[in-house]
Amino acid sequence: MPLIQVTIIEGRTLEQKNNFFEKVTEVAVETLNVKAAQVRVVINEVPATHWSIGGVSKATIDANK
């Protein structure tokens, strides 16, 4: 039973996340030879203030655009 965990910056729509779940599950089924019901996908969403790129928070980068 595969468990696939992904960490992203929060802000995606429910539709985007549901599409991601479907596509990742399809790939796991095809490549790992498992049934879709066996695949678990977890999205961990992180606020932009808790995400750093080059030592600067993503929230700060976005604010300075």
Side-chain angles (χ1 to χ4, degrees):
M1 173 179 358
L3 169 62
I4 301 162
Q5 297 184 58
V6 176
T7 303
I8 61 174
I9 298 172
E10 66 185 3
R12 270 62 172 211
T13 66
L14 180 57
E15 181 180 1
Q16 288 173 311
K17 290 182 270 190
N18 284 334
N19 189 45
F20 181 80
F21 290 143
E22 290 175 22
K23 299 296 183 184
V24 169
T25 299
E26 287 175 14
V27 170
V29 167
E30 292 170 9
T31 59
L32 300 176
N33 194 30
V34 296
K35 297 177 183 176
Q38 295 174 293
V39 178
R40 308 302 193 253
V41 181
V42 176
I43 294 176
N44 298 301
E45 291 186 285
V46 177
T49 56
H50 296 181
W51 191 285
S52 172
I53 302 167
V56 180
S57 79
K58 178 75 166 82
T60 300
I61 292 169
D62 290 346
N64 291 325
K65 284 186 178 180

